[in-house]
Amino acid sequence: MTLLATLRDWLKASHIDAVLIASRQNKQPHLGFSSGSGYVLITRQQAHILVDFRYLAQVNAPGYHLHLLDSQHTLAAIVNQCLADEGLTTLGFEGEHVSWQTGSQWRENFNATLVSVSLDALRQVKTAPELALIREACRIADTTAEHIRQFIEAGMREREVAAELEWFMRQQGAEKPSFDTIVASGARGALPHGKASEKVIVAGEFVTLDFGAQYQGYCSDLTRTFLVAGRDTTPEKHPLYEIYQIVLRAQRAAIQAIRPGVACQQVDATARQIITDAGYGDYFGHNTGHAVGIDVHENPRFSPTDTTLLQPGMVLTVEPGIYLPDRGGVRIEDMVLVTAGGAEVLYQQPTDLQLTGESNGR
Ligand SMILES: [Mn+2]
């Protein structure tokens, strides 16, 4: 189903005449680019795009009426005219994305009853064109994971590794990283969101890299924990080797649990049970995963409480971890596409423990 058809069905089901879309993420599929400014107004009969001078020439959206916003043509004036043309009285707006101040102004200036709605759920099942972009964002992250595994050497600073990683992603076609790159080595591995620091990476440490590429507005998200090559780096002798194996077992079991109709919380429980049974439940303090798309973190979540049933076309991460304060940590993250029969992992990069450097040490 097309984007507009989906929205019109949703309008009807929600008993709303029109919806004013203001959030960057929910405008993007209509505009064809990402912008914090401008609006999309979908009514029963028509679709409108309202932008100021800066974006006017950039919009290429057949089937939409294009309106210029300026001091003569205010948002309220245009919206009120569009509503009046069709005799509409209820207007949905994105209460979770619009500030209280803006909402108050709208309530004063729009000739309609405002209803707070959430459009985010409409983005949970990805369309075929969206999946093509997500696959490319994943390909970039996947290629980058292997490049950076070979690049890392003892003696480098985490920040240098992040710089090389982000440079390489851009060379591969990424617009930008989908979030601040995490490079957490040694004891810093105990920080689930340890952004790259000035710390020097030491041989024999684990280094956790968590990063993603944004490609044509769509995100990827990938985590690998590598063993830094050097002296005395027999994987089995590493103090966190057992931790790595537990996380890997949890990650693989969670992926195995994914198929249409399964509740998200069940996938979380699968990973969490393995880590808890191994005695590390208290050291896995975050969700098992989250949906990914235009935003790097979307709903649903593989959390203990999310009862959403998986559907084909959803794209989520599976990323359990164990974090031991002052000692280090392990996280392994893949992105998966929910398919009719289960889950397709969107990365090729192996998840078993690998050494950094030219050879993978096997
Ligand atoms: Mn993630």
Side-chain angles (χ1 to χ4, degrees):
M1 197 153 47
T2 69
L3 184 59
L4 286 179
T6 303
L7 270 167
R8 292 242 164 71
D9 281 2
W10 172 86
L11 277 178
K12 211 173 280 177
S14 311
H15 308 287
I16 294 169
D17 293 329
V19 62
L20 182 64
I21 309 174
S23 70
R24 183 189 53 74
Q25 49 274 62
N26 287 322
K27 282 183 302 194
Q28 182 177 301
H30 302 271
L31 298 175
F33 56 88
S34 177
S35 170
S37 88
Y39 304 89
V40 176
L41 175 66
I42 310 296
T43 63
R44 294 251 163 150
Q45 311 287 339
Q46 307 291 341
H48 306 269
I49 288 174
L50 295 70
V51 291
D52 68 40
F53 172 79
R54 295 169 298 168
Y55 299 96
L56 201 59
Q58 206 175 334
V59 177
N60 175 23
Y64 292 76
H65 299 278
L66 185 57
H67 303 263
L68 173 67
L69 286 166
D70 61 21
S71 53
Q72 309 298 311
H73 309 88
T74 63
L75 173 66
I78 297 169
V79 167
N80 286 337
Q81 187 60 56
C82 292
L83 296 178
D85 286 348
E86 293 181 49
L88 307 177
T89 57
T90 53
L91 176 64
F93 76 105
E94 301 170 276
E96 59 199 348
H97 295 296
V98 172
S99 73
W100 184 87
Q101 186 176 4
T102 299
S104 304
Q105 285 170 2
W106 287 359
R107 198 163 48 190
E108 221 158 89
N109 298 330
F110 291 163
N111 301 330
T113 304
L114 288 181
V115 183
S116 178
V117 298
S118 176
L119 296 178
D120 291 3
L122 297 177
R123 291 191 283 118
Q124 288 186 4
V125 173
K126 273 56 181 177
T127 63
E130 288 183 308
L131 285 175
L133 298 177
I134 290 171
R135 282 182 187 279
E136 181 59 12
C138 286
R139 186 200 64 76
I140 294 168
D142 205 14
T143 309
T144 302
E146 178 57 16
H147 172 76
I148 210 70
R149 186 189 67 72
Q150 294 184 22
F151 174 82
I152 294 173
E153 284 176 18
M156 291 175 175
R157 292 186 189 277
E158 292 174 352
R159 179 183 45 72
E160 294 174 63
V161 171
E164 172 70 18
L165 186 154
E166 291 176 11
W167 178 88
F168 190 83
M169 286 202 298
R170 289 211 185 224
Q171 292 294 321
Q172 297 287 309
E175 292 155 349
K176 58 178 181 180
S178 43
F179 54 92
D180 289 343
T181 299
I182 290 170
V183 180
S185 60
R188 291 191 78 249
L191 308 173
H193 275 186
K195 288 177 194 171
S197 76
E198 293 299 320
K199 181 187 170 299
V200 171
I201 297 170
V202 176
E205 287 182 337
F206 275 179
V207 56
T208 299
L209 301 127
D210 185 352
F211 61 94
Q214 184 183 306
Y215 179 78
Q216 292 188 21
Y218 286 82
C219 296
S220 55
D221 191 2
L222 183 159
T223 307
R224 289 293 182 273
T225 301
F226 297 129
L227 173 55
V228 181
R231 283 175 301 172
D232 299 329
T233 48
T234 309
E236 290 76 8
K237 286 187 189 161
H238 193 282
L240 297 179
Y241 179 77
E242 286 307 317
I243 297 291
Y244 192 100
Q245 301 309 318
I246 295 162
V247 172
L248 184 56
R249 268 195 287 130
Q251 203 255 1
R252 288 180 174 163
I255 292 173
Q256 287 293 316
I258 295 172
R259 62 184 173 278
V262 168
C264 285
Q265 61 183 182
Q266 184 55 44
V267 176
D268 180 80
T270 301
R272 203 166 297 281
Q273 192 63 53
I274 288 171
I275 291 174
T276 302
D277 287 351
Y280 293 97
D282 290 343
Y283 303 96
F284 173 31
H286 58 73
N287 294 335
T288 297
H290 54 88
V292 194
I294 292 172
D295 280 333
V296 71
H297 297 124
E298 297 185 347
N299 286 326
R301 315 270 165 165
F302 289 137
S303 78
T305 54
D306 195 323
T307 57
T308 307
L309 302 182
L310 291 170
Q311 296 178 56
M314 289 180 169
V315 176
L316 301 104
T317 69
V318 180
E319 51 175 311
I322 295 176
Y323 311 91
L324 304 178
D326 304 322
R327 290 182 59 198
V330 173
R331 181 169 63 260
I332 304 166
E333 175 181 33
D334 279 326
M335 263 172 72
V336 303
L337 167 65
V338 181
T339 61
E344 176 191 346
V345 177
L346 298 177
Y347 299 126
Q348 305 292 321
Q349 182 67 22
T351 48
D352 52 351
L353 183 57
Q354 298 182 88
L355 282 151
T356 61
E358 289 294 314
S359 82
N360 66 8
R362 279 166 203 279

